[in-house]
Amino acid sequence: IGMRTLAPRIAAASAAGQLTALEEPVRRFAVWSTAATALAVVVLAAAGRVLLPALFGAEYDDALAPALLMCAGVLVNAWTGPCSVVLSHAGQERTVAVSALVSSLLFAGLAVWWGSAWGGIGVAAAAAVAMSGRNLYLAWSAHRTLGIRTIALPARRGK
């Protein structure tokens, strides 16, 4: 929901050359997104042993550990904020596309390697590492190329 309201504002601000004016709303979005994601992960961790089999069937009884590992990547994704949207709307589509390709290749390589050693846990860890790496890179790129912090950190003093 938040991204549907924030994305048009990012596009308009970029078109007007005022992208840095949206740093605070982008940062707040990342804070709220991270908080909501963390709450969902806590609920999954606390009730997953009961919820997963109840919702998806008994064959999902062992899915909690891989799901929680993948949630680590989702938490990093939330924490880095809408970095890919900011970059895309600011003319940095190539950066976003190349990062997706590199992340996919990294995931494929790690999933084969770690999956053969640790099964589903290894594949989940590969997904979390690839997703986290991509989003951390994109957040860094948004800050380096556009001067915008998209991550869920406290507001800078004096801003």
Side-chain angles (χ1 to χ4, degrees), residues 11-118:
S14 180
Q18 304 272 324
L19 201 51
T20 55
L22 283 183
E23 182 174 38
E24 184 56 21
V26 164
R27 186 199 67 78
R28 274 195 316 268
F29 173 82
V31 168
W32 283 105
S33 177
T34 302
T37 303
L39 178 61
V41 172
V42 167
V43 169
L44 179 63
R49 287 270 176 237
V50 174
L51 282 177
L52 291 177
L55 292 172
F56 303 111
E59 63 272 12
Y60 282 84
D61 193 40
D62 294 329
L64 183 59
L68 289 173
L69 260 174
M70 289 179 65
C71 284
V74 174
L75 272 168
V76 171
N77 185 26
W79 183 77
T80 56
C83 48
S84 64
V85 175
V86 170
L87 286 163
S88 293
H89 286 298
Q92 300 292 319
E93 297 90 345
R94 182 179 176 96
T95 299
V96 175
V98 169
S99 72
L101 176 63
V102 170
S103 176
S104 297
L105 294 172
L106 177 64
F107 168 68
L110 290 176
V112 169
W113 178 22
W114 293 352
S116 66
W118 301 299

Side-chain angles (χ1 to χ4, degrees), residues 128-155:
V129 166
M131 184 186 320
S132 296
R134 177 177 188 241
N135 283 288
L136 289 167
Y137 171 74
L138 290 175
W140 174 80
S141 291
H143 186 260
R144 182 179 57 88
T145 61
L146 306 173
I148 297 174
R149 287 189 333 167
T150 64
I151 55 178
L153 287 178

